[in-house]
Amino acid sequence: MNSEQLLFKIPGVRFDEDGQAILTVWAPEAEQVQIQLENKELKLPLQKESYGYWQLETERIRPGDLYRFIIDGKDPLPDPATLSQPEGVHGPSEAIDIQAYKWHDNDWENPFLKDYITYELHTGTFTPEGTFAAMEEKLDHLVELGITAIEIMPVSQFAGGRNWGYDGVFPYCVQDSYGGAKGLQQLVDACHRKGLAVILDVVYNHIGPEGNVLSQYGPYFTDKYNTPWGNAINFDDAWCDGVRQYFIENALMWFRDFHIDALRMDAVHAIKDFSPVHLLEEIRARLDEYMEESGKTHYLIVEMDLNDTRFINPVSKGGYGMDAQWIDEFHHALRVSSGQERNGYYSDFEPITSLAKSYKDAYVFDGIFSEHRKRKFGVKAEGNPGSQFVVFSQNHDHVGNRMLGERTSQLVSYDMQKLLAGAVIVSPYQPFFFMGEEWSESNPFQYFVSHTDQELAEAVRKGRKSEFAAFHLEGEAPDPVSEETFNNSKLQWELLEKESHQTMFRYYKKLIELRKEMPALNSPDRNAMEVEANPEEETITIH
Amino acid sequence: MNSEQLLFKIPGVRFDEDGQAILTVWAPEAEQVQIQLENKELKLPLQKESYGYWQLETERIRPGDLYRFIIDGKDPLPDPATLSQPEGVHGPSEAIDIQAYKWHDNDWENPFLKDYITYELHTGTFTPEGTFAAMEEKLDHLVELGITAIEIMPVSQFAGGRNWGYDGVFPYCVQDSYGGAKGLQQLVDACHRKGLAVILDVVYNHIGPEGNVLSQYGPYFTDKYNTPWGNAINFDDAWCDGVRQYFIENALMWFRDFHIDALRMDAVHAIKDFSPVHLLEEIRARLDEYMEESGKTHYLIVEMDLNDTRFINPVSKGGYGMDAQWIDEFHHALRVSSGQERNGYYSDFEPITSLAKSYKDAYVFDGIFSEHRKRKFGVKAEGNPGSQFVVFSQNHDHVGNRMLGERTSQLVSYDMQKLLAGAVIVSPYQPFFFMGEEWSESNPFQYFVSHTDQELAEAVRKGRKSEFAAFHLEGEAPDPVSEETFNNSKLQWELLEKESHQTMFRYYKKLIELRKEMPALNSPDRNAMEVEANPEEETITIH
């Protein structure tokens, strides 16, 4: 039973050196799988292989061909591992040769994780055009700012053209309206040539609501667990290997075919997996093999809301071996210390003292009782170096999840904005900024979608309204489906011309310079650091 | 926030040295909690404490008093941590002084786990009387047999008087019809005086269907996970600390107040817990503290169907620190090797070769694909000593889950029965026998319940019938609710008088003697052992 190797199949359409197409579909319960070419009026059967896979090697499929799969004679469907959806999520898939791109970044070396200074951006709103090509034009600005890595919010194909990215339904496919796979490859190549690492945000905990065809191929979901998005992805139930493989190969694809330097995996606490080898640990193992092979370094960073060091501990200690994680608790403590009202998830945090604890211990809740969660929460993160933690004073979530999507620029004073940036830069953790904060962007970053399914769009609209009804705030929640909401969330680059915005930019630039130049800041030792909280004076002393 | 200590409350009614009653109820969402004494026509309010606890210290409650709790003025309910239910699950609770028992086992020392030779028994069917007192009369038989530990199937209070024990609804309460708490204490005391260790089977993965009052006290269940028994017990959702504490204190109670030597925790794979410290790891930590304090040794053994060494690895390696686990796969491989048809869960196993693998590697599925489970299953158990694995040729489950509940005595030849016993004894694992197999008991061990809720009884009856409908077997499934089914499952001690049964008994006795005397058997080294499978000759060579 050599299941190891047989399971290592890359789903989707690939081309070998001779231009032959290799098609792989995982459909373990199907009786028959066919490919239907749209432009050639051709239908070909795939052969059943072991472990639920179907395959076909053929010269009759060429890059540029549009295709769909037919399962047991039912309606044709896009490929679950499609690399291109030129007509959107409901259209046919396009066969492309993902390895045809000629790279110019041979000399690129991924910096050490401790040297990552990250800038999060959303492709659609970072520039007026909302494309990778337009983003490339702005890289010099980022280089001047001094950041060392950009983190791109999810780019997997979603319905319509406006979405944060967490509603993607084709994990292997780069959003067509952003510029598709080739657009992303060109952008990463350009980043590397300019000395910037690229982190890609990927979503392995759910699949978006519109255009999701996965269940029609196989048991991608399980009713063993309930998540905020309905049934959980099947990582540990019958037939889970094909599903695991689908996501593991996806992670590897970004490194191999897109030269992505690090993945930021969304909300991994929602990956429900009681297997003896957790999905993340398996991704770690497969990535280690790939790094050994390629000689390149890549990182795995997780968003994780459990304060559980098992995720970031090495495999030898029973951990999953992730390189780093976000700590939202630093953000919450920082924001409460700068005047944020203590409601919702902020209610658990005390001004100054919680922040001092996060500077020292990373996790604020490290085994103590959380009133908000109504349970003891977390463990101590004692053996973990500071470079394993990513901190920020704002990010897409904490800005965009406010009813009006206000950035700190609209909430706190100009001086407080500077203080927030300073608080992040002097931390012993990885500093992380949200696009536009370096010039005190005044536009909001609001929640927007462009579902073409009208019922779903209406449901999101209503959900958004009721979410904020409880807060009794004045004003209305912006309509998430309206194009105006999307446009309102775009950066205003022209602000950079104005004095106060320029000053903020120079301030950020100086801070980042300091972080790089001062040994105490660029190679901080968490254990040697002393933190004193003085709540009465509203100060924290770090030395 | 000293939540650590505040959470360490023992639920239920306890008496201190001065005879004062200390009442503790966990009801985090209640507005008012009262105790109602049945015989004194007295109602007293409990005081609200932190973390959802309610308490009262009073001299007005005495051992022997019958009581119920009233939550927010609703119908009076038995105590979730009741120690005695003299009128069954629907009756009032009885206050008893669990620490009043005078022990005579001061000199008792729990043997090393590697020296455990275990005998599983079901209190209700082990003797004609079905009580602890009657069981005590039979201890000399067990001593003569040579086993070193008995394992008692669950004794927590269930509805009616006939049940395997997995439908218990009051984890702290010993079944009244068996002899209650004092009966169990006397039995353990007697076992220790006769040199027998006592393992108790406990169920922390679900609560039985009839008489379950827990939800009326607080969020004991969560809809985050679906289990075969409905909603999972809440081990990691809001308010889980009180629930975790309820089960952790239960584990400690058996060691402290009943001198139980080891717990066998039922189906721990169904304990759904994504907390950074798994419930089992927390039980381990609390038990370690207790052992340090008491100077006594106790073990934690789990039934676990995941082939996941995380459960039995030490905490220092990221494990949960369980001392040992059952391996059903050894059983399945052994039974298939002895002629069992390869259907259901047996379908994954090959005669001889699977058994040889289990002798060598414990887990048959150690990362390879399982056709039955339709996934890659398990990890390698390389660093784990043989004493961490419990093996058997039959147990209550694999006998009782057959439609007719046949023991091997009804399924294989007399010589094959001997071979099966020998196969268990020569394994490098902990041998484990099921009551009656030592004399080739001919009665079945069938599935029986005595739910007093007629609808439920009917549902179980139907469920049992349909479970076996698929097998197209001749004959009818015995009625689980009928008293006859229960009586048919009792051991026939009179068989011991008959020659062939006596011979089997002497054979078992001899085998156990050999296990104790031969160094290769009593201190086996898994790594030094060589196993050769010869499927053609239907033999395995171990040396």
Side-chain angles (χ1 to χ4, degrees), chain B residues 371-506:
Chain B
E371 288 293 343
H372 178 64
R373 301 175 190 267
K374 305 220 176 301
R375 64 163 303 189
K376 278 198 292 178
F377 193 73
V379 290
K380 291 194 188 302
E382 280 167 339
N384 304 90
S387 59
Q388 287 203 292
F389 302 99
V390 178
V391 296
F392 34 81
S393 71
Q394 54 192 318
N395 67 24
H396 72 273
D397 253 333
H398 302 300
V399 172
N401 285 338
R402 303 182 71 89
M403 184 176 87
L404 301 175
E406 307 99 321
R407 298 158 171 277
T408 52
S409 68
Q410 304 306 297
L411 298 169
V412 303
S413 70
Y414 192 81
D415 282 341
M416 183 58 88
Q417 290 172 58
K418 288 183 165 180
L419 197 56
L420 290 176
V424 168
I425 275 289
V426 302
S427 81
Y429 309 124
Q430 274 186 55
F432 177 103
F433 302 104
F434 182 55
M435 60 176 195
E437 70 166 277
E438 76 276 24
W439 70 69
S440 187
E441 170 63 56
S442 58
N443 260 357
F445 184 72
Q446 296 175 331
Y447 186 72
F448 46 80
V449 296
S450 52
H451 300 311
T452 57
D453 176 334
Q454 288 313 313
E455 244 174 81
L456 178 63
E458 197 46 43
V460 171
R461 197 176 264 142
K462 276 193 190 153
R464 199 72 191 166
K465 267 194 187 170
S466 72
E467 195 176 330
F468 295 105
F471 287 92
H472 301 296
L473 286 179
E474 282 176 38
E476 282 238 345
D479 178 3
V481 189
S482 142
E483 193 162 349
E484 204 188 331
T485 305
F486 173 71
N487 287 331
N488 286 347
S489 301
K490 290 193 172 185
L491 293 188
Q492 305 171 87
W493 286 86
E494 60 278 14
L495 291 182
L496 256 178
E497 316 284 308
K498 294 192 189 162
E499 180 50 35
S500 72
H501 296 285
Q502 229 178 67
T503 307
M504 187 62 85
F505 176 73
R506 281 194 302 268

Side-chain angles (χ1 to χ4, degrees), chain B residues 23-253:
Chain B
L23 283 62
T24 308
V25 174
W26 180 74
E29 287 159 344
E31 300 286 323
Q32 195 193 42
V33 176
Q34 296 163 297
I35 184 167
Q36 176 180 288
L37 289 185
E38 312 268 312
N39 41 359
K40 292 183 181 164
E41 292 196 11
L42 185 69
K43 212 185 266 184
L44 298 169
L46 278 73
Q47 304 304 317
K48 189 166 192 166
E49 306 284 338
S50 311
Y51 305 107
Y53 286 98
W54 297 76
Q55 284 201 307
L56 176 65
E57 292 192 28
T58 176
E59 284 170 7
R60 300 174 74 182
I61 297 171
R62 310 293 314 150
D65 282 353
L66 297 176
Y67 68 99
R68 285 188 173 95
F69 288 118
I70 300 174
I71 307 293
D72 294 339
K74 286 179 276 189
D75 285 345
L77 299 166
D79 181 356
T82 172
L83 294 165
S84 175
Q85 290 291 121
E87 300 167 25
V89 298
H90 300 294
S93 302
E94 180 192 18
I96 63 173
D97 183 357
I98 197 70
Q99 298 190 294
Y101 183 78
K102 298 284 171 262
W103 289 90
H104 308 84
D105 66 347
N106 253 344
D107 299 336
W108 167 249
E109 273 187 43
N110 198 352
F112 292 118
L113 206 51
K114 76 166 188 59
D115 295 327
Y116 267 51
I117 299 173
T118 302
Y119 183 94
E120 182 183 39
L121 45 78
H122 174 262
T123 307
T125 53
F126 181 62
T127 61
E129 302 83 353
T131 61
F132 298 127
M135 198 191 295
E136 196 178 323
E137 301 297 311
K138 301 296 188 189
L139 294 182
D140 287 336
H141 164 81
L142 300 178
V143 170
E144 191 190 344
L145 174 60
I147 57 113
T148 61
I150 61 167
E151 178 165 320
I152 308 174
M153 284 172 66
V155 299
S156 290
Q157 190 78 33
F158 50 80
R162 305 183 305 275
N163 199 288
W164 282 14
Y166 302 96
D167 291 326
V169 290
F170 293 113
Y172 285 73
C173 178
V174 180
Q175 175 71 11
D176 62 325
S177 57
Y178 289 172
K182 195 167 176 195
L184 181 58
Q185 288 172 323
Q186 279 168 339
L187 174 70
V188 176
D189 209 3
C191 285
H192 285 174
R193 288 198 309 273
K194 288 183 187 289
L196 294 171
V198 182
I199 308 170
L200 184 66
D201 192 347
V202 292
V203 183
Y204 294 161
N205 54 54
H206 75 284
I207 294 291
E210 182 177 344
N212 171 7
V213 297
L214 297 188
S215 313
Q216 297 176 69
Y217 280 89
Y220 276 89
F221 299 90
T222 170
D223 58 8
K224 276 170 70 179
Y225 312 111
N226 305 316
T227 79
W229 308 285
N231 279 346
I233 294 180
N234 172 18
F235 290 120
D236 67 2
D237 208 351
W239 286 120
C240 66
D241 296 300
V243 183
R244 295 170 69 93
Q245 174 66 2
Y246 176 79
F247 286 100
I248 293 166
E249 282 298 338
N250 182 262
L252 296 175
M253 176 188 77

Side-chain angles (χ1 to χ4, degrees), chain B residues 206-427:
Chain B
H206 75 284
I207 294 291
E210 182 177 344
N212 171 7
V213 297
L214 297 188
S215 313
Q216 297 176 69
Y217 280 89
Y220 276 89
F221 299 90
T222 170
D223 58 8
K224 276 170 70 179
Y225 312 111
N226 305 316
T227 79
W229 308 285
N231 279 346
I233 294 180
N234 172 18
F235 290 120
D236 67 2
D237 208 351
W239 286 120
C240 66
D241 296 300
V243 183
R244 295 170 69 93
Q245 174 66 2
Y246 176 79
F247 286 100
I248 293 166
E249 282 298 338
N250 182 262
L252 296 175
M253 176 188 77
W254 297 117
F255 298 126
R256 185 188 57 230
D257 299 332
F258 290 85
H259 292 202
I260 292 291
D261 296 286
L263 291 181
R264 178 269 191 190
M265 291 184 269
D266 182 61
V268 295
H269 47 271
I271 293 175
K272 301 296 181 190
D273 184 6
F274 280 118
S275 303
V277 182
H278 190 279
L279 178 78
L280 295 176
E281 189 182 337
E282 199 167 342
I283 292 176
R284 168 85 277 161
R286 295 283 301 281
L287 175 57
D288 284 348
E289 281 170 30
Y290 171 71
M291 292 190 340
E292 182 78 30
E293 216 176 280
S294 69
K296 299 278 182 192
T297 303
H298 301 279
Y299 304 112
L300 298 169
I301 302 169
V302 294
E303 182 198 22
M304 184 261 292
D305 180 34
L306 293 171
N307 289 5
D308 184 352
T309 51
R310 190 182 294 281
F311 286 77
I312 54 171
N313 281 340
V315 174
S316 60
K317 276 192 188 173
Y320 302 155
M322 298 296 99
D323 292 295
Q325 68 156 109
W326 283 28
I327 31 172
D328 278 28
E329 290 190 340
F330 180 92
H331 167 269
H332 301 343
L334 178 58
R335 294 297 289 271
V336 162
S337 301
S338 67
Q340 163 69 40
E341 208 187 322
R342 294 172 61 191
N343 53 19
Y345 50 66
Y346 292 109
S347 63
D348 260 347
F349 297 86
E350 319 248 352
I352 304 298
T353 49
S354 291
L355 180 59
K357 182 158 188 195
S358 192
Y359 271 117
K360 186 72 190 154
D361 302 331
Y363 299 157
V364 175
F365 286 85
D366 55 0
I368 59 175
F369 190 86
S370 151
E371 288 293 343
H372 178 64
R373 301 175 190 267
K374 305 220 176 301
R375 64 163 303 189
K376 278 198 292 178
F377 193 73
V379 290
K380 291 194 188 302
E382 280 167 339
N384 304 90
S387 59
Q388 287 203 292
F389 302 99
V390 178
V391 296
F392 34 81
S393 71
Q394 54 192 318
N395 67 24
H396 72 273
D397 253 333
H398 302 300
V399 172
N401 285 338
R402 303 182 71 89
M403 184 176 87
L404 301 175
E406 307 99 321
R407 298 158 171 277
T408 52
S409 68
Q410 304 306 297
L411 298 169
V412 303
S413 70
Y414 192 81
D415 282 341
M416 183 58 88
Q417 290 172 58
K418 288 183 165 180
L419 197 56
L420 290 176
V424 168
I425 275 289
V426 302
S427 81

Side-chain angles (χ1 to χ4, degrees), chain A residues 222-227 230-232 236 272 274, chain B residues 224-226:
Chain A
T222 170
D223 58 7
K224 277 170 69 178
Y225 311 111
N226 305 316
T227 79
N231 279 347
D236 66 3
K272 302 295 182 191
F274 281 117
Chain B
K224 276 170 70 179
Y225 312 111
N226 305 316

